[in-house]
Amino acid sequence: MDEGRAALYAAIIGLAAVIIGAAVGGWVTWKAARHGADAALRATMEQLSGQAINERNHWVRQERRAAYATVIDAYMSVSMTAAAHRSGLREETPEVYERLAELGMACKRLTLFGPDSVEEAASELLRRADDRVRRPSEAGVSAGGGTALNGFLAACKDALSRDNEGDE
């Protein structure tokens, strides 16, 4: 074999090695880029999912607070109206029953946002308010309303503190 042919064969082998090396290098780079893009996509999806969950939880907490405040306001309205009727400051009117109905509707709204402990405390609060309006002369009825309100407030506070623990 002469030197010219050896150089030609060496050049052909070198060219093939460069082409194969470039192809393998390109393929490895493409695989690494694809893996990086997949990892970035997974991380973005996890972040968006977590953000959506946090937004939903924040919305539920806001709705719970609003529903709890509505129940408290409605209960106080029933209490003040019933007290005014009992003390003779106002004549007997359907107003106290309207306030009681508003309290009932506010308590029903809690079924949407829960939790069960708050719903149960609200049911007791409604029952005590109903007793206070419909049977004001029974012994202990007015005292039970304060206890029921305290129970409702404690249940609300507990539910909201458990909601906030999920944020940490």
Side-chain angles (χ1 to χ4, degrees), residues 48-89:
L48 288 174
S49 176
Q51 187 175 357
I53 289 169
N54 286 340
E55 288 293 325
R56 182 204 167 275
N57 290 343
H58 179 70
W59 176 79
V60 168
R61 280 190 302 276
Q62 285 179 319
E63 290 299 314
R64 280 183 175 173
R65 285 183 190 115
Y68 299 167
T70 301
V71 170
I72 294 165
D73 290 344
Y75 176 77
M76 297 308 290
S77 181
V78 168
S79 294
M80 289 188 297
T81 305
H85 285 272
R86 277 195 310 278
S87 66
L89 296 175

Side-chain angles (χ1 to χ4, degrees), residues 7-136:
L8 179 64
Y9 292 143
I12 291 172
I13 291 171
L15 179 64
V18 167
I19 292 172
I20 291 170
V24 169
W27 181 79
V28 167
T29 302
W30 174 78
K31 287 295 270 184
R34 184 171 178 190
H35 176 73
D38 288 346
L41 178 63
R42 280 192 303 276
T44 301
M45 294 301 290
E46 287 176 16
Q47 179 183 7
L48 288 174
S49 176
Q51 187 175 357
I53 289 169
N54 286 340
E55 288 293 325
R56 182 204 167 275
N57 290 343
H58 179 70
W59 176 79
V60 168
R61 280 190 302 276
Q62 285 179 319
E63 290 299 314
R64 280 183 175 173
R65 285 183 190 115
Y68 299 167
T70 301
V71 170
I72 294 165
D73 290 344
Y75 176 77
M76 297 308 290
S77 181
V78 168
S79 294
M80 289 188 297
T81 305
H85 285 272
R86 277 195 310 278
S87 66
L89 296 175
R90 293 188 185 166
E91 295 180 19
E92 185 67 31
T93 65
E95 180 184 10
V96 72
Y97 296 103
E98 291 170 7
R99 300 291 174 261
L100 191 59
E102 290 170 3
L103 176 60
M105 290 174 64
C107 289
K108 277 295 184 194
R109 184 173 182 220
L110 295 178
T111 61
L112 296 173
F113 301 108
D116 291 342
S117 59
V118 173
E119 286 181 62
E120 291 166 7
S123 293
E124 178 63 16
L125 185 66
L126 179 60
R127 188 180 69 71
R128 294 292 186 148
D130 188 68
D131 286 349
R132 190 173 189 183
V133 168
R134 297 182 196 282
R135 295 183 289 279

